[in-house]
Amino acid sequence: MTVQPSSAPAGLPVSSPPLASPPRSSEAAVPVLSLSPGGEIVSDLHVGALEPGEHHRDTVIVRYRADEDAVVALSVECADPSTASRDVHVGVFEHAGELMPFPVFSGSLLDLARRNRAFGRWTGRGDGDDHEVVYEISTSVARDAASASAPADVALHFTATRA
């Protein structure tokens, strides 16, 4: 599985290369997506074929910095939901600072691909400082699955809507 920044409107920087999962060392680069009020950044999530019993994890950091508050949310889009599998379990967790990861989605890849509303909302404070939330996306296939899953692509949309 790979999360890769795919686009950012003008003026919205995207830094760091995509992370190949799972991380191989503590020095692996984690993508940082920077949002400003009214902005949107789209990242591509490629879920490669997973063998029964396989588990992958990827991480992306969403950073908000501005002089006004904004609600930051995650939504997903899948161009071809028929490629998404019920056999692939997806968990999306978010955490900030020293807080424990909080689950914001848990279900099949097909459920995620068909999701039609934003989730994982948090408020980016408009105090001019960086505010970051780490999103961890895990995928797995049960050990007793009959066969490997097919690859699938999902677009992750992070938006900052003025509060």
Side-chain angles (χ1 to χ4, degrees), residues 26-122:
S26 61
E27 296 182 20
V30 175
V32 178
L33 309 177
S34 296
L35 280 170
S36 60
E40 175 181 50
I41 293 180
V42 178
S43 286
D44 295 325
L45 171 65
H46 176 74
V47 180
L50 298 171
E51 295 292 328
E54 269 193 282
H55 175 84
H56 291 274
R57 185 183 74 222
D58 218 336
T59 303
V60 63
I61 298 170
V62 176
R63 178 180 295 150
Y64 178 81
R65 181 180 190 160
D67 293 329
E68 57 186 284
D69 289 358
V71 175
V72 178
L74 166 62
S75 60
V76 297
E77 179 182 353
C78 184
D80 186 8
S82 66
T83 63
S85 172
R86 284 209 178 278
D87 293 334
V88 177
H89 183 268
V90 178
V92 180
F93 303 87
E94 64 180 31
H95 59 94
E98 298 300 317
L99 300 175
M100 294 292 291
F102 177 80
V104 293
F105 177 84
S106 181
S108 72
L109 182 58
L110 181 60
D111 295 336
L112 181 67
R114 291 181 172 171
R115 189 162 187 93
N116 62 2
R117 66 185 191 283
F119 58 102
R121 288 182 168 89
W122 54 278

